[in-house]
Amino acid sequence: MNIVILANRDLASNFALNLLVPHLSQHNVSLFLSAKVGGSDLKPVEIQTLSFFEQTLLTQLLSPLLEKLNNHHGFKSFGQISKEFVQPVSELNEINSPLGLAKISKLQPDVILSIRYGRILKEAVLALPPLGVLNLHSGLLPDYRGVMASFWAMLNGEKQLGTSLHYIDDASIDTGRIIAQSYMPVRPHQSYLWHVLQLYIGGCELVTQALQTLALGEQLKTTEQQQGRYYSFPNEQAIKRFEEQGLSLVKEDELVALIHQYYF
């Protein structure tokens, strides 16, 4: 199949791609990246710090070092993983523009897969792939739609988190038919970022299974979503409540184990 992946230029997207891409060798895969998720509104300092670990750490610090290594066997940067695709990885923020549509249409995608992509896909894009557009959402739908779903689930005292693989049926956010969900228990002593990364282990297994089914010419079984709740970036009050519960957005010591996966 011709598969177009839309992801974000951040650590979690890169982590997910490193898990997923080895299972896509029989397909023609292209990757486009958005620069970020959400608007440019000034966010609390804690969210800005999180952004450093989610984006700057990988793109400006870790990736340049990885790309200088010889005989590298660990997780790959976006540049290194680009060799697995039919064309170099490129940034595409205006996907709904005529130029963006032309870039996607030229690849004749059978299916489009979105993982943390930072733009809402409109009808013209959604109409391109005959097998539809799939999205891997790092939250359990329909209760946790929107941004930082795992943060809100942890804040709300949920005992488990999960991912939802669903179709994008229209330009609304996280409302499409659910294909499958994965689950993992909350570990309060681990950070929000740790949970997000671990969620993609089970989530990418769901994606692999779904793509295998579509490649066989079979339809994916789905369930319609019921009424849910949409969340946006947390404000200072929500972050304070998060911390008062003994929870953390990032723990620097967890990054040692993460960096080991990239180097070794």
Side-chain angles (χ1 to χ4, degrees):
M1 294 191 300
N2 293 332
I3 301 173
V4 169
I5 301 178
L6 305 174
N8 193 51
R9 192 180 290 279
D10 63 22
L11 177 62
S13 290
N14 182 269
F15 188 88
L17 288 169
N18 272 282
L19 296 171
L20 179 62
V21 169
H23 300 284
L24 303 181
S25 59
Q26 71 273 34
H27 303 293
N28 300 314
V29 183
S30 303
L31 172 64
F32 295 95
L33 299 173
S34 58
K36 61 180 179 179
V37 175
S40 57
D41 296 341
L42 184 63
K43 298 178 177 64
V45 63
E46 293 86 353
I47 299 299
Q48 296 178 46
T49 301
L50 176 65
S51 178
F52 168 82
F53 289 104
E54 286 186 319
Q55 294 185 295
T56 307
L57 176 67
L58 175 70
T59 59
Q60 297 185 23
L61 300 177
L62 187 56
S63 292
L65 294 175
L66 290 174
E67 291 166 6
K68 293 180 181 179
L69 295 177
N70 295 320
N71 301 318
H72 175 235
H73 300 293
F75 277 15
K76 301 175 181 178
S77 68
F78 286 118
Q80 290 170 317
I81 211 170
S82 182
K83 299 175 183 178
E84 309 295 328
F85 303 133
V86 299
Q87 63 179 20
V89 175
S90 62
E91 194 164 289
L92 180 59
N93 295 301
E94 303 302 328
I95 191 170
N96 299 297
S97 68
L99 179 59
L101 285 168
K103 288 182 177 181
I104 303 299
S105 180
K106 181 180 178 180
L107 295 167
Q108 298 181 320
D110 296 298
V111 62
I112 294 176
L113 170 65
S114 171
I115 302 177
R116 301 176 64 84
Y117 190 64
R119 296 293 183 270
I120 295 173
L121 305 182
K122 297 184 179 180
E123 283 73 10
V125 176
L126 300 177
L128 289 176
L131 299 180
V133 179
L134 311 183
N135 180 55
L136 180 60
H137 176 65
S138 58
L140 290 174
L141 298 175
D143 294 330
Y144 290 96
R145 295 171 177 154
V147 180
M148 294 184 65
S150 298
F151 169 92
W152 293 105
M154 293 172 71
L155 179 62
N156 291 341
E158 302 287 359
K159 300 302 181 184
Q160 68 176 4
L161 307 177
T163 64
S164 301
L165 181 63
H166 66 98
Y167 278 106
I168 301 180
D169 294 318
D170 53 40
S172 58
I173 300 175
D174 299 331
T175 59
R177 296 163 290 153
I178 296 174
I179 299 164
Q181 294 180 309
S182 68
Y183 305 89
M184 65 171 282
V186 172
R187 298 184 180 179
H189 298 297
Q190 305 288 155
S191 71
Y192 157 79
L193 181 57
W194 181 90
H195 282 90
V196 170
L197 297 179
Q198 295 304 307
L199 280 171
Y200 283 109
I201 297 174
C204 287
E205 291 178 358
L206 299 182
V207 173
T208 300
Q209 294 165 6
L211 293 176
Q212 289 173 344
T213 299
L214 292 174
L216 292 173
E218 301 176 5
Q219 290 187 339
L220 298 174
K221 296 180 180 179
T222 63
T223 57
E224 297 288 341
Q225 288 197 51
Q226 304 302 314
Q227 185 174 359
R229 181 173 179 181
Y230 177 83
Y231 290 89
S232 188
F233 282 103
N235 57 23
E236 292 180 357
Q237 290 75 24
I239 293 171
K240 182 179 179 181
R241 289 191 288 118
F242 193 78
E243 294 174 342
E244 287 174 345
Q245 293 183 26
L247 302 170
S248 58
L249 289 174
V250 178
K251 287 187 175 181
E252 287 83 350
D253 60 336
E254 294 171 351
L255 298 173
V256 175
L258 174 66
I259 291 173
H260 189 275
Q261 286 184 276
Y262 276 86
Y263 273 90
F264 305 103

